[in-house]
Amino acid sequence: MSNKVYETYVFENEPQWDKVQEGSLEFSNWDSSVHYNTFFKMCFVKEKGIFLKMRTDETDLRFVNTKRDENIWEDSCMEFFICPFSHREEYLNFEMNPVGAYLCQFGKGREDRVFLASLTDEAASVKAEISPQGWNLELFISASLISEAFGETFTAGACSIRGNFYKCGDLTSKPHYDSFNKMGTLPPGFHNPECFAQIIITER
């Protein structure tokens, strides 16, 4: 069961980031001794979709994978898993590296996942930037992309959904597995939807 809650807003026209609370990835999982300070902000915008910002102080970076749907989790990676319909079990996993390459899949759990590219021609927008202090990214997921992936209309409005936010890097010099909501199930891996947090979106 989820024990953490992230509360945010749905805006009329554009994200108002100064009004959105920042969440932090405070949990290190599976006995990892490495932890990076990673933060995020997420919101909805009506008629548009979902907006996300993430930042981390990781500076020893790996970004070998440069194409969509390669093994992004092996690189320095920040991830967003979201189940945007409260009545559905399927979720999308977005895994992104410091050069903006990303992987996205759809399914109910770790098995039998399919690539988003096989469900829709629409693509998410990922912008990443590296600095001496670490790296950050911006992700936009359109409402139409979600609608096509799930086969039903998604409306960016007030709701309560589930998801989680992660920082990892399987083949980095310091492998790590940080999360917003603690991962408590085995086998190790972020594809444990029972560990998703509650995300509450209200009108602003």
Side-chain angles (χ1 to χ4, degrees):
M1 293 293 292
S2 299
N3 53 29
K4 292 203 73 174
V5 176
Y6 178 68
E7 297 185 31
T8 186
Y9 298 108
V10 53
F11 298 103
E12 285 289 340
N13 299 306
E14 298 292 339
Q16 299 179 39
W17 292 116
D18 59 323
K19 295 180 172 64
V20 179
Q21 72 162 320
E22 189 169 65
S24 63
L25 278 59
E26 60 186 73
F27 293 109
S28 294
N29 299 283
W30 308 302
D31 299 323
S32 173
S33 60
V34 179
H35 177 79
Y36 292 103
N37 294 309
T38 305
F39 305 90
F40 68 90
K41 289 185 175 184
M42 190 273 284
C43 68
F44 283 9
V45 175
K46 290 181 179 180
E47 310 300 329
K48 292 186 178 180
I50 300 172
F51 290 79
L52 171 71
K53 286 187 174 185
M54 299 187 74
R55 62 184 178 92
T56 181
D57 64 358
E58 179 192 24
T59 55
D60 186 7
L61 305 181
R62 181 186 196 269
F63 40 90
V64 172
N65 298 284
T66 58
K67 297 179 181 178
R68 181 173 172 178
D69 294 329
E70 292 186 330
N71 296 350
I72 305 298
W73 69 90
E74 296 176 348
D75 289 344
S76 300
C77 182
M78 289 190 278
E79 304 184 355
F80 176 45
F81 287 28
I82 184 169
C83 181
F85 293 99
S86 60
H87 62 281
R88 298 280 295 265
E89 295 182 41
E90 297 95 340
Y91 62 91
L92 293 167
N93 58 296
F94 291 88
E95 308 180 13
M96 301 157 284
N97 74 8
V99 292
Y102 77 94
L103 173 152
C104 182
Q105 294 174 315
F106 171 90
K108 293 183 179 181
R110 74 174 67 227
E111 304 297 334
D112 301 319
R113 300 193 67 72
V114 297
F115 286 107
L116 178 67
S118 69
L119 302 176
T120 174
D121 291 332
E122 286 206 46
S125 171
V126 180
K127 299 177 181 178
E129 182 180 40
I130 300 170
S131 74
Q133 292 75 40
W135 63 284
N136 60 77
L137 63 82
E138 295 185 13
L139 167 69
F140 170 64
I141 312 164
S142 70
S144 56
L145 182 154
I146 296 172
S147 298
E148 289 195 22
F150 283 81
E152 66 174 284
T153 301
F154 171 77
T155 302
C159 60
S160 177
I161 58 176
R162 297 180 301 116
N164 214 344
F165 307 83
Y166 307 109
K167 174 76 190 77
C168 68
D170 282 23
L171 297 185
T172 60
S173 60
K174 299 177 181 177
H176 52 283
Y177 306 95
D178 302 335
S179 65
F180 172 66
N181 201 40
K182 187 174 180 62
M183 309 301 297
T185 46
L186 294 176
F190 291 149
H191 287 281
N192 286 306
E194 62 269 33
C195 296
F196 285 177
Q198 184 180 13
I199 301 173
I200 299 174
I201 297 98
T202 56
E203 298 276 353
R204 179 71 191 193

